[in-house]
Each structure stands twice: as C-alpha cells, then as structure tokens.
Amino acid sequence: MAVTAKTKLDAAKLRADFPIFGQEIRGKPLAYLDSAVSTHKPRQVLDKLRTFYETSYANVHRGVYTLSEIATAEYEGAREKVAQFVNAPDARELIFTRGATESINLVAYAWGLDNLGPGDVVVVTELEHHSNFVPWQYIAKRTGATFTAIPLDEHGELRLDTLDEIKRLGNVKVVANNFVSNALGTINPVERLAAWAHEQGAIMVVDAAQAAPHHAIDVQQLDCDFLAFSSHKMCGPTSVGALWGRASLLETMAPFNLGGHMIRSVTLDETTWGQLPYKFEAGTQPIAEAVGFGAAVDYVTDVGIGAIEEHERELLVYALDRLVDVPGFVGYGPPPDRRAGIISFNIEGIHPHDVAQVLDMDGVAIRAGHHCCQPLMAKLGVAATNRASFYLYTISEEIDRLVAGLRKAHKLLA
Ligand code: 7TS
C-alpha cells in the first residue's frame, strides 16, 4: 500500500518506497534533483508491473479467453484511474499514447491537418517545450497557417497584453500552452487562455507534462479541449502517456496511427474507424505500462497532489533562500507563489555542463542544457542553464548538497 500523508507529506519516509535511493553514486548517496526530466519509481508501481506480468498478462481486447479478459479489465481500469485523475467527464475521452509528445503530435496532425489553412493562426508561447512548439510550427507551415508565440516578460511570465495584437493576425484556431513550464517552473494562466481561445473560436491545447505530477488538474474547470501528459514524470513507467480530448472533437477527427484494433470494418475499398478511444489506439498498446501508470496515479493520489505541491513550494523557498548567496548565482523564473519546484540558473563564468559535472562528482544529479526550450533560451540570452527540480521524495539535505556543490564549482572553475 502507498504511504499516505493527507495534509503534509514526509519526504524522508516516502523515500523508503523508492529502491533507487538505496544505492550510492560515486560513493555518495544519490541526490536526485532532476525529477522534471523524469521521476523515480516507487515499489508500489514496480510491484504492480511485476504482478501484472506474472499473473494477468495477455494482449487486450482480442482474446475471448479468461486471461485476456483479466488483462483487458486491468488496462481499462487504468484508463478509468487516469481519466479520473484529470476529472475527465468520460473515460472514452482518455487515449493512451506513448507520452506527452505523441499526444500533442496526435492533435497537431489529426486535428490540425484538416482544420488549418491560410488566414488561420496557431498561437503557442515562447515558454513551450519543443514538444508543444515544433509540431505546431510544422503543421502551420504545411497548411499555410500563421504561426506565432505569446512573448514573455522579464520574470518568464506570459505577456497577455499582446493577445489583442495576436488576434489581428487572422483567425485564431489553436492556442497551445504548457500548464507548468519545464524550464522555469512558471504556472501559466491556462484557464484564462482557454477562455480567450474560445472567444476566438479556437481550440485550447494544454501541455500538462509538468503540471500533472505537481498540480491538481481538472479539465472541466480549465475548460480546455485537449490535455497531454506523461506517466514517467509522475512515478509511472516510460513509454506511456495520455491525451484527454473532448469527445465532440475526437469524434470528428481522422485517426493518427492506422492499423490493427482501431477499425470498425475493412474492405478492399474502404476502412471505417472504431469507437473512441480505440480509433486512436492502433496496434498493441503499452499494456503493462498503462497498468503501471494507473498504479502511479494511485500512488501520487494517496500522497496527495496538494501535499506534493506544498512540499515543493517549501523546498523552492528553502533553495532560493540559500542559492542567492552562492557566488555568481543568476536565477531565472517567477516568484515561488507562481511556480512549481523547478529552478533554472547559471553560475556566472562557468558553462552549465561543467557545473553539472562538478556536482555529479558528489552524487548530485541536475540537468544542464537548453531543456528543449531553445526559443526561451534565446529570450533569456543564454545558450543553456542548469536546472534543479524537485518531487515528493526530495529532501532539504539534497538542496544543501546542491548549494555546497555549487560553491565548490565556483571555487574550482569561476
Ligand atoms: N512538455 C513539457 C512541458 C515537458 O517538460 C516535456 C518533457 C514534454 C512535453 C515531453 O514529454 P515526453 O514525456 O513526451 O518526453 N520534459 C523534459 C525536460 O524538462 N527535460 O527533458 C525533457
């Protein structure tokens, strides 16, 4: 059973659920400060995967035999859990994909190719991960639509004062925005953007890859049209994620992948598509991974999304307080009250890769690079940053080790 912590979580206790923390890296305990890229997996999820393979595994929706029925029930049960996690009105609207990237590509291709053309405008932001930028830029080019991005202010927050100017570019048809920025941690006003998108007659696509693990999501309250997220960033297995979409839109869309399982009937002349969600789930799905995703939803729900968010905010305040005293520290992003547990920074005069390597010598893992956000890096006027990111198992000692490592890097290299 997952450890429960209804109001405040106990990260030190939760760490015992994560076997990875039992080992040392370079002779030191692992200080893992890269959860935005991917999180570690608790025993509850690992056990579920093993038990499923050992007792319940078969392909789904195909066999009439008992084992296939058991596997199908597990897979569909996971769909219900993931759908409920984002308060989807109907589990049929929840499509299992390979991850947030594939979810967004599905919308960009299957909706975009048939609904965009010259005179239409696709609006993203300067804060997008490439996953929610490149597919839209590409589909806009292919269809002749205009592609534009909402600019950022100096805190890394969206300049909503530019929306009037943007709407003069043409018929706004798509607004695509991340709920939480992977690079700066900014919590974006997606509910306001969704309302604006609908005023323009546009669809609202939310990239929730960084929000789902850390921030409660209610697609009905957001009033968005599509929402994408990944399992591996919230304690679940890799290679599975979800796309939630409004049934009324999904039903009008052409399929994205074609092949087995997504059809109603196939003849030499014509193929007709299956029902939702199967129309968008061609071929053998990541079955065990989806079941593991369901177990991950149970785990983070038991810990409590509110408790996770509060824990990260406490760590953020603790870390920022100490980091500002590190010689050469330059931080990016908004204040903690509008931010998830992500800190992007540079140490003046030292390349981020060198900083990360010095930290690694002491078992401290952080990310260095452009974080798949090159437009943002251009805006910040840097090629790369370091990034430390937290999760439910992060403890303040790891932040102390980060700070000590940065001081060491400054002393050695600045
Ligand atoms: N959107 C956001 C906001 C992300 O942070 C990521 C991955 C994705 C989409 C893509 O998710 P995937 O599961 O399909 O890969 N984020 C990161 C990151 O922060 N560093 O590397 C990948």
Side-chain angles (χ1 to χ4, degrees):
M1 268 311 292
V3 177
T4 52
K6 289 296 171 224
T7 47
K8 203 162 163 54
L9 66 77
D10 182 347
K13 201 164 156 200
L14 292 175
R15 275 172 101 76
D17 290 338
F18 291 79
I20 198 96
F21 295 120
Q23 69 179 328
E24 296 194 327
I25 300 283
R26 292 173 174 264
K28 310 257 171 57
L30 169 64
Y32 185 73
L33 298 173
D34 198 15
S35 288
V37 80
S38 202
T39 62
H40 284 293
K41 319 303 172 199
R43 227 178 283 280
Q44 289 83 341
V45 170
L46 302 172
D47 288 350
K48 181 72 196 182
L49 284 169
R50 168 173 282 275
T51 309
F52 177 72
Y53 273 126
E54 286 181 351
T55 66
S56 314
Y57 177 74
N59 211 329
V60 295
H61 297 302
R62 284 168 174 81
V64 285
Y65 50 90
T66 304
L67 199 55
S68 177
E69 283 169 6
I70 292 171
T72 302
E74 289 268 7
Y75 179 73
E76 291 304 323
R79 190 192 309 281
E80 295 274 349
K81 283 178 188 180
V82 178
Q84 252 176 37
F85 184 67
V86 295
N87 198 27
D90 189 336
R92 285 184 320 132
E93 300 178 322
L94 196 292
I95 295 154
F96 281 125
T97 63
R98 281 177 48 235
T101 301
E102 190 180 70
S103 299
I104 297 165
N105 274 273
L106 190 163
V107 182
Y109 276 88
W111 189 89
L113 283 179
D114 284 340
N115 289 284
L116 294 171
D120 294 336
V121 184
V122 176
V123 184
V124 298
T125 83
E126 286 183 340
L127 197 49
E128 297 315 308
H129 186 279
H130 294 165
S131 299
N132 199 31
F133 191 102
V134 181
W136 294 115
Q137 185 182 48
Y138 176 77
I139 295 296
K141 276 216 171 92
R142 268 187 63 172
T143 57
T146 302
F147 175 77
T148 192
I150 302 173
L152 298 178
D153 68 15
E154 67 279 13
H155 301 296
E157 295 187 276
L158 301 182
R159 283 197 41 206
L160 298 184
D161 59 308
T162 63
L163 291 178
D164 280 344
E165 213 174 298
I166 286 172
K167 85 180 180 200
R168 286 196 285 275
L169 294 174
N171 303 319
V172 177
K173 283 283 197 69
V174 179
V175 180
N177 181 210
N178 63 75
F179 198 164
V180 170
S181 154
N182 68 307
L184 300 183
T186 320
I187 300 171
N188 290 306
V190 288
E191 206 171 326
R192 271 180 71 190
L193 273 177
W196 182 78
H198 291 154
E199 273 165 38
Q200 317 309 310
I203 59 161
M204 179 73 200
V205 182
V206 177
D207 171 2
Q210 293 294 345
H214 316 275
H215 189 80
I217 294 180
D218 179 337
V219 292
Q220 300 185 55
Q221 190 193 324
L222 290 175
D223 198 25
C224 56
D225 298 293
F226 295 98
L227 184 122
F229 55 112
S230 294
S231 148
H232 70 96
K233 292 186 195 285
M234 46 182 288
C235 295
T238 54
S239 302
V240 67
L243 174 70
W244 170 81
R246 265 184 215 286
S248 56
L249 287 166
L250 291 171
E251 266 154 7
T252 63
M253 281 157 59
F256 176 49
N257 288 319
L258 304 159
H261 189 57
M262 48 74 67
I263 57 92
R264 183 143 57 100
S265 80
V266 182
T267 67
L268 209 49
D269 298 324
E270 198 191 20
T271 297
T272 53
W273 317 133
Q275 306 266 342
L276 290 180
Y278 313 116
K279 177 171 112 178
F280 293 104
E281 292 184 356
T284 294
Q285 288 302 105
I287 302 163
E289 290 81 358
V291 170
F293 190 4
V297 163
D298 283 344
Y299 186 81
V300 298
T301 305
D302 280 354
V303 173
I305 283 285
I308 294 171
E309 190 165 26
E310 188 189 311
H311 174 66
E312 289 184 19
R313 189 148 299 141
E314 278 173 13
L315 290 171
L316 194 61
V317 170
Y318 180 83
L320 287 172
D321 227 38
R322 276 150 191 77
L323 286 167
V324 288
D325 293 333
V326 172
F329 177 83
V330 181
Y332 309 98
D337 60 323
R338 299 199 292 280
R339 185 164 168 175
I342 292 175
I343 302 179
S344 260
F345 62 92
N346 272 312
I347 301 295
E348 262 170 347
I350 318 180
H351 194 281
H353 284 156
D354 295 336
V355 172
Q357 268 174 5
V358 171
L359 288 165
D360 181 54
M361 291 192 300
D362 289 328
V364 179
I366 64 163
R367 178 107 144 84
H370 54 63
H371 317 297
C372 300
C373 293
Q374 287 184 354
L376 170 67
M377 295 295 124
K379 182 80 177 192
L380 297 175
V382 297
T385 70
N386 287 115
R387 183 186 68 184
S389 53
F390 314 141
Y391 204 33
L392 53 89
Y393 42 64
T394 307
I395 49 175
S396 57
E397 286 85 341
E398 290 174 297
I399 292 167
D400 297 339
R401 288 174 59 198
L402 167 71
V403 171
L406 293 176
R407 288 185 182 280
K408 180 170 158 188
H410 186 264
K411 206 160 155 190
L412 287 174
L413 301 171

